Amino acid sequence: RPKTSVMREQGEAIVFERVIVKWFNASHGFGFVNRPDNPADIFIHISVLRKAGIDTLEPGMELSIVAGEGQKGENVIVVKK
């Protein structure tokens, strides 16, 4: 099931926030984004992008995302352009 569906069922608010693409490697299928006021990296995977109809990202692009905690830190779980 989509993570956003689980979040809704658990009563969690789905809040999109603006981030800026730090870098993205399309051949490896992942990259990192940052919040404008926070240099901490947030992992983004190509599978999340494809669900939003996005094929690739360029450094400096702005996105709206929902981030969640993963095994290795924050990662993007939902994205929209």
Side-chain angles (χ1 to χ4, degrees):
R1 287 187 343 199
K3 290 183 181 181
T4 52
S5 296
V6 174
M7 290 173 72
R8 279 190 207 105
E9 288 172 7
Q10 295 175 348
E12 294 181 44
I14 299 170
V15 179
F16 282 88
E17 58 183 312
R18 301 295 286 170
V19 295
I20 299 169
V21 177
K22 181 176 181 180
W23 64 267
F24 184 79
N25 185 317
S27 62
H28 286 104
F30 72 91
F32 292 92
V33 298
N34 304 107
R35 293 175 179 94
D37 59 347
N38 185 341
D41 289 338
I42 304 169
F43 179 81
I44 188 164
H45 193 265
I46 190 75
S47 61
V48 175
L49 295 174
R50 287 186 178 144
K51 289 177 188 175
I54 302 169
D55 294 325
T56 190
L57 300 174
E58 296 296 327
M61 283 178 70
E62 288 190 18
L63 301 170
S64 292
I65 65 142
V66 176
E69 244 349 273
Q71 292 178 354
K72 296 182 179 181
E74 269 193 302
N75 61 75
V76 176
I77 57 174
V78 180
V79 64
K80 64 181 178 180
K81 215 169 181 181

